[in-house]
């Protein structure tokens, strides 16, 4: 376990996170039982439960009555569509599909390097991606990934990327996304973005910046998604 200055339950929590990040414990799979873990770590059951409680509260694990405690797989793609709503002529909700247009090796600029905690100019993999409904582009995305963990993606043709990227990162690179933080802003579409989205230049677009991290908290993906502001709807339930 790490950093002896930390409380025992927190060191235990960090060790569990390391098992998830390394793939030893996989999302959707139950972790060992309390009896097994207390024996493995040599700790009291109360300490173990406190460590697991923090991971449950953080949304990284979930308990299932009578079945055990499981590594939770977050639904990140669902978060975008809480904000952007697309409907068909009958009012039915539509979920866009994703298509990677290109992938390339680039040098990180100040923004990307800062987001991914990399040195300025470090190698990063850049994905250019659109999301479509009936062949029409409704979102445009720039995605940056640190080179070393995702190097295998450079050997994969853009058309062979999956519709959902996070399961693809996991299957092809062994990288698990555990959490993400999103920031929403508005800007005016330049000629390039306007052409991609099929709107007039100068029209407002919503920009969603997402920083996705691994289960160990390290940054794994920085993404900018842009969509027509006229399709943007913000909804939150307050209780």
């Amino acid at each position: 376990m790490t950093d002896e200055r930390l409380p025992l339950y927190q060191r235990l929590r960090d060790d569990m996170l390391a098992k998830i990040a390394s793939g030893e414990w996989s999302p959707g799979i139950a972790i060992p039982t309390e009896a097994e873990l207390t024996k493995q770590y040599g700790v009291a059951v109360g300490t173990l439960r406190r460590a697991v409680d923090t991971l449950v509260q953080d949304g990284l694990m979930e308990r299932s009555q009578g079945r055990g405690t499981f590594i939770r797989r977050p639904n990140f793609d669902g978060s975008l569509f809480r904000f952007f709503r697309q409907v068909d002529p009958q009012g039915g909700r539509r979920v866009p599909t994703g298509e990677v247009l290109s992938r390339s090796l680039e040098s990180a600029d100040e923004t990307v390097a800062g987001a991914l905690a990399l040195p300025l100019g470090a190698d990063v993999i850049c994905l250019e991606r659109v999301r479509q409904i009936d062949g029409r582009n409704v979102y445009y995305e720039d995605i940056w990934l640190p080179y070393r963990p995702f190097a295998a993606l450079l050997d994969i043709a853009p058309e062979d990327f999956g519709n959902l990227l996070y399961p693809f990162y996991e299957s092809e690179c062994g990288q698990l996304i555990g959490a993400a933080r999103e920031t929403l802003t508005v800007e005016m579409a330049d000629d390039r973005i306007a052409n991609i989205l099929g709107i007039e230049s100068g029209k407002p677009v919503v920009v969603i910046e997402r920083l996705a991290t691994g289960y160990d908290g390290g940054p794994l993906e920085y993404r900018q998604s842009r969509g027509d502001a006229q399709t943007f709807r913000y909804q939150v339930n307050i209780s």
Side-chain angles (χ1 to χ4, degrees):
M1 288 187 276
T2 59
D3 200 339
E4 296 293 330
R5 297 169 296 178
L6 296 174
L8 181 56
Y9 83 89
Q10 193 167 336
R11 283 181 274 149
L12 188 56
R13 173 189 185 276
D14 290 347
D15 193 74
M16 291 179 177
L17 282 175
K19 291 182 183 298
I20 301 170
S22 69
E24 183 177 344
W25 289 358
S26 302
I29 303 300
I31 67 173
T33 65
E34 284 188 350
E36 292 171 323
L37 290 174
T38 53
K39 181 178 180 180
Q40 175 183 333
Y41 286 111
V43 299
V45 67
T47 301
L48 176 68
R49 287 177 181 171
R50 188 174 183 186
V52 172
D53 283 345
T54 64
L55 294 170
V56 172
Q57 291 166 8
D58 290 342
L60 300 177
M61 290 185 180
E62 57 187 349
R63 289 188 173 95
S64 177
Q65 187 67 33
R67 298 179 63 231
T69 301
F70 292 76
I71 309 302
R72 182 174 176 270
R73 189 188 298 277
N75 179 16
F76 295 104
D77 285 274
S79 68
L80 178 65
F81 303 115
R82 288 201 299 269
F83 302 106
F84 286 93
R85 301 300 178 91
Q86 299 290 332
V87 296
D88 59 26
Q90 291 72 42
R93 186 174 177 182
R94 303 292 300 278
V95 177
T97 58
E99 178 185 354
V100 172
L101 303 177
S102 67
R103 50 100 181 93
S104 58
L105 185 64
E106 299 184 357
S107 297
D109 63 17
E110 187 173 355
T111 298
V112 173
L116 294 177
L118 296 171
L120 183 65
D123 287 341
V124 290
I125 295 172
C126 181
L127 306 180
E128 183 184 17
R129 186 178 186 236
V130 291
R131 297 201 184 195
Q132 301 177 324
I133 292 178
D134 296 333
R136 179 174 62 90
N137 295 336
V138 291
Y139 313 118
Y140 172 79
E141 296 180 322
D142 288 306
I143 300 169
W144 294 272
L145 307 159
Y147 167 72
R148 191 175 299 277
F150 293 95
L153 297 183
L154 292 176
D155 296 325
I156 300 173
E159 60 268 22
D160 292 332
F161 279 66
N163 178 42
L164 300 179
L165 289 182
Y166 291 172
F168 195 72
Y169 296 164
E170 182 178 347
S171 64
E172 301 301 319
C173 304
Q175 298 300 316
L176 304 175
I177 302 296
R181 182 181 70 247
E182 292 182 339
T183 303
L184 280 68
T185 57
V186 177
E187 66 182 26
M188 299 301 108
D190 59 21
D191 290 344
R192 175 172 171 269
I193 295 298
N195 182 61
I196 292 172
L197 296 179
I199 61 177
E200 294 180 19
S201 182
K203 289 290 186 179
V205 291
V206 172
V207 183
I208 300 179
E209 292 183 85
R210 175 187 290 181
L211 179 62
T213 57
Y215 281 88
D216 60 356
L220 288 178
E221 181 203 70
Y222 175 60
R223 173 187 308 211
Q224 295 179 354
S225 302
R226 290 173 169 83
D228 184 355
Q230 291 192 13
T231 68
F232 176 82
R233 298 293 182 272
Y234 179 76
Q235 177 180 321
V236 61
N237 296 320
I238 301 174
S239 57

